[in-house]
Structures are given as C-alpha cells and as structure tokens.
Amino acid sequence: MRVLRTLVAGVVLLPGVAAGQSVTFTKDVAPILQRSCVACHRPGEMAPMSLMTYEDVRPWARSVKARVVAREMPPWHLDRHIGIQTFKDDPSLTDEEINTIAKWVDSGAARGNAADMPPLRQFANSIEWQIKPDIVIKYPVKIVPAAGPDLFGNLYADIPITKDRYIKAIQTRTATAASRKVVHHALSYAVDDPDTIEVSGDDSQGVDGGQFLVEFASGKNAEVYPDDAGVLLQVGKKAMVSYHLHSVGEETKAEIELGITLHPEGYVPKHIRWSKQLAQPTAAIDIPAGTVARIDGYTVLHKAARLIAFQPHMHIRGKRQCLELIYPTSGSSARTEVVNCANFNYNWHLTYNYADTTQPLVPAGTILHTISWHDNSTANKFNPDPRNWVGDGQRTIDEMGFAWIGWHDLTDEEYKAQLAERKGLQQKAATTTAQPQQRH
Ligand code: HEC
C-alpha cells in the first residue's frame, strides 16, 4: 500500500519537476532549515538530530512536517495575532514557509538540483570563548545520568568583584563538547545570596528579585554591548544559573561557565540595560485542583523607558502570559495596549528581543501589567498532579507569574526625542506601504 502511494505521488510530481515548479529540498526547503533550525539541529548541538543535509533530513521528513505545521518547531511561542511582531533573531516560519515544507513532504520529499543548495551556515564554536573575559564564573558541575527525566534547577557561584562594575560583554559556554549535548538551556542571573533571600511583595522598579544577565541557547553568540552601554553587576550578589539538562545515553558532566568582560573600573555607561522580574503577582497565587487560573501582576515604571526584551516566567503549570501597558492619564478614561502574548512551555524559556524599530517607548508613570494563566487541569500534559492545589513557591511544582523585562531608562527629553524619531520612521514607512503601523 505504502509503496503504491509513493509511486502515485511520483507520477503526479513528475510533470511538476519537468516544469521546474515542484518543491525540492535544495531549492525550497534547505534555505528555511538553514535559517530557522540548524542553530540547534546540527552535529554537536543539543537537538536530537541534524537537519543540515538532505541525507540528514529525509528520514525525518514526516516528523518535520508535523512539528512545523503544529508550530512546535522552531520553538517560538508568541501569539502571531496580537501586538508586536518584529523581533531580533526571530526564527519562526511564515505560513508560506510552513506550506512549502508540507508540500515538499506530501509530494515525496525530492532532493532537487545540487546546484540549488544554499551554502551551509557557519557557527562559532559554542564551547569556546568569543570574548576575552576578565572574570570566569564556573558553576558547580552537575552529573547528568545516562537516562532519566530532564533535570531542572538552579546552581550558584560567587562573582569575583570587589566593587560594583558594568558588564561590557558576556557569554555562557559549556566547558566541554559533552556538556554541550546535555545542556538544553541555561539562563544566568545576579541574585541575592539564596541563604539570605527574603521573598517580598515589593515590585517597584529597580527593587531586586535579581538581574537577568544572559541566556544560553543554541546558535547564540556572546553579547557585546556598545561602548556607551552596559549592565550593572553589583558586588555581593551571587551568580545563579537556571538550568534544563537532559540525558543522552551516557553519564555526562554538565559544566557551565559564565565569562564576563568588564568596563573599566569607575566607568558608568550612558545607557544601562536593566533586566528584572517585573509585574509580580499582587495577590497570593491560588490555583485550585483541576482548574485554569488567571493571575495579574503590576509594576509602575517611575521613569520613561525603552523596553527591549520580554521573557515570561512561570513554572510547569504555566500556559500563557500577556504583557499590557496601562498608560498614565490625566483624564478619566484609561488607555491600555497589549504589547504581546505568548504561550508558555516550561521546556523553553524564550527571551523575545524587540527589534530596534519596535522596542516600546513608554512615558514615566506607565504601569506594566502581566496577565498569566496557569493550567492545573489534566489538559496540561506537564502537570504532575492535577488533584493538588498550587500556590507560590520556588520549586518547579510551585508557581510564579511575572516577566523578566529588559529595558533602558530614559529621561523625559530622551523619551520625547525617541518618540518623535519613531513617528518619523513610521510616517516614512506609511508612505511606502499601505500597512497601518501598530506602534506609537
Ligand atoms: C532552539 C533550538 C531548536 C530550534 C531552533 C529547532 N529545534 Fe527542533 N528540536 C529541538 C529540541 C531540543 C528537540 C527535542 C526536544 C523537543 O522535542 O522539544 C527538537 C525536536 C524536534 C523534532 C522532533 C524530533 C523527534 O525526536 O521526534 C523535529 C521534527 C524538529 N525538532 C524539527 C525542527 C525544525 C524543522 C526546525 C526549524 C523549522 C527546528 N526543529 C528548530 C531544538 C530546536
């Protein structure tokens, strides 16, 4: 039966090939995979198989189609119908690209002409430093057993500085090729010493739940800031890495290191990049067994700001989060705007970095509002026990609901100037396209 169907498909396809219209791997599919998949799906990286060559991809064709049609791959969970859609390093596929892959698989997954094959993307070796670090923080080594469930957790290490300093460049690396295979993701933060941490309800801008430093994901290079920009690294904090590790068939040591190049001592950059837990829930988290619960969190931005990154944070019941702006108003009617909504999957802590032209510019007094949904029912396949009530806490089986927001503070003058510049750009764009512009 199977053979027959393939033959029929082959017959249907042949005229297309002759007319040069059929979908082939080298011409149509490889460019999509090169852009959106091979950062993770290449030898030595943490994804289960390579998607570099025709030989690599052919056995996976059906599975590739299923994952891209379901929008499970590449991992990118933003709602495409709400809010900002232009980001840095957005690997997501257009509907047309998904159709191309589906058509290719359905029509027999032809190779096509070798001459059409795009050059393979080159990547920096992710186990080497791409920066010259002044300090290297080695997190404690974690042993990943040969087989077993994925491991999630936090590891802490000292930050060897004696004064507050500003970060000029930062990179996470796995110290060995074997480590690289077991580290699914690793996000680094500067936090209070966990032994002295107090869980507080204070969510005012700048108050510490820690500072997000950098994520480690496949294909991601070092972050190097412009000379007049940097991230504050405070003395007395601990480095914390939040990890997701998985077994690869043999016992493996996960060795994760954080390398940091510092601005000169005493130098304060003009643009300081903040990244903190904002819009924490204002009430205790209270999710009855078997239900989906909504949780709201708020942070008042006392200064004008340019938002640069959005990273929803929840635990295993997390389902979806929206970020809304509540603008300051002198009149009686409030003005709000939803910036983005993203589905949430605990396996993937994705940071959405706005493009320079879409970074929201917000006036002083704006309230950031997160709306988080947690699914504590049987419908959530990650739910370890839908019969249990869930509340706040640090364990993965407890819940959280806030966003890591990356931003630059702006003076009111900078805010006005940047807003005027943005409006100018949008007017220019409006005259060249008929598309209405979403952002102010
Ligand atoms: C950020 C890294 C990353 C990117 C980018 C990515 N993948 Fe994956 N992919 C993974 C990981 C990790 C897994 C295994 C765990 C899982 O299924 O979530 C996976 C699993 C898969 C699977 C299922 C494999 C199996 O064992 O059944 C397919 C198919 C797949 N990816 C295809 C793609 C395609 C096609 C793209 C690009 C359009 C893509 N992936 C982009 C990391 C990635």
Side-chain angles (χ1 to χ4, degrees), residues 3 29 46 60 65 93-94 109 125 221 267 282 357 397 399:
V3 174
V29 174
M46 54 78 174
W60 292 95
K65 178 187 163 192
L93 305 186
T94 61
N125 184 342
N221 295 323
Y267 175 76
T282 40
T357 51
I397 56 164
E399 269 309 332

Side-chain angles (χ1 to χ4, degrees), residues 86-370:
T86 313
F87 290 82
K88 290 180 179 157
D89 309 320
D90 173 358
S92 67
L93 305 186
T94 61
D95 290 338
E96 203 188 347
E97 288 169 324
I98 292 174
N99 283 339
T100 299
I101 291 176
K103 245 193 245 166
W104 175 68
V105 174
D106 292 342
S107 64
R111 180 197 296 266
N113 282 330
D116 291 333
M117 187 70 187
L120 298 185
R121 240 172 99 184
Q122 301 297 312
F123 293 91
N125 184 342
S126 61
I127 69 165
E128 268 159 29
W129 293 120
Q130 296 146 31
I131 58 175
K132 277 210 186 101
D134 296 315
I135 56 177
V136 173
I137 294 163
K138 295 183 192 225
Y139 291 111
V141 174
K142 186 92 190 152
I143 307 285
V144 184
D150 284 13
L151 304 174
F152 295 92
N154 300 322
L155 297 167
Y156 298 86
D158 290 329
I159 303 176
I161 50 171
T162 51
K163 285 193 174 120
D164 285 1
R165 297 290 294 268
Y166 287 91
I167 297 172
K168 165 79 178 96
I170 184 163
Q171 183 193 346
T172 313
R173 72 160 193 169
T174 50
T176 62
S179 297
R180 179 63 206 108
K181 294 215 145 195
V182 295
V183 179
H184 184 291
H185 74 241
L187 294 90
S188 280
Y189 306 84
V191 299
D192 290 327
D193 194 323
D195 299 331
T196 60
I197 248 173
E198 280 174 48
V199 179
S200 84
D202 197 336
D203 62 354
S204 56
Q205 187 177 3
V207 164
D208 250 291
Q211 160 96 338
F212 174 60
L213 295 176
V214 68
E215 80 256 41
F216 178 57
S218 293
K220 186 170 179 331
N221 295 323
E223 263 180 33
V224 182
Y225 303 115
D227 284 340
D228 62 351
V231 171
L232 176 62
L233 192 60
Q234 282 173 291
V235 72
K237 300 282 173 185
K238 288 261 186 184
M240 176 183 96
V241 67
S242 165
Y243 61 79
H244 172 184
L245 308 174
H246 58 187
S247 297
V248 290
E250 55 187 321
E251 190 179 282
T252 307
K253 283 187 201 160
E255 297 176 59
I256 305 171
E257 298 182 355
L258 186 63
I260 298 176
T261 309
L262 298 165
H263 277 298
E265 212 176 306
Y267 175 76
V268 180
K270 181 158 177 262
H271 302 291
I272 299 172
R273 185 198 205 282
W274 299 107
S275 187
K276 292 185 180 288
Q277 310 179 351
L278 299 188
Q280 293 268 10
T282 40
I285 293 177
D286 175 5
I287 314 173
T291 65
V292 176
R294 168 177 166 160
I295 290 157
D296 293 78
Y298 302 88
T299 291
V300 182
L301 297 178
H302 296 292
K303 296 178 186 163
R306 186 176 185 111
L307 307 185
I308 51 187
F310 167 49
Q311 182 196 126
H313 186 87
M314 291 179 263
H315 286 172
I316 41 184
R317 268 93 173 178
K319 181 183 169 69
R320 184 174 168 87
Q321 185 179 83
C322 294
L323 176 66
E324 181 184 63
L325 303 175
I326 304 173
Y327 290 108
T329 173
S330 49
S332 49
S333 59
R335 196 163 70 83
T336 64
E337 186 172 11
V338 177
V339 184
N340 278 111
C341 292
N343 289 334
F344 187 80
N345 175 332
Y346 193 73
N347 280 333
W348 296 101
H349 288 259
L350 301 173
T351 303
Y352 302 105
N353 291 302
Y354 294 108
D356 293 341
T357 51
T358 60
Q359 292 166 345
L361 297 165
V362 305
T366 300
I367 297 170
L368 295 183
H369 175 201
T370 51

Side-chain angles (χ1 to χ4, degrees), residues 32-33 36-37 39-41 46-49 51 60 63-64 67-68 73-75 91 93 101 184 218 246 347-348:
I32 302 172
L33 305 186
S36 294
C37 316
C40 305
H41 289 275
M46 54 78 174
M49 73 288 191
L51 295 177
W60 292 95
S63 175
V64 163
R67 293 291 189 116
V68 299
M73 284 286 149
L93 305 186
I101 291 176
H184 184 291
S218 293
H246 58 187
N347 280 333
W348 296 101

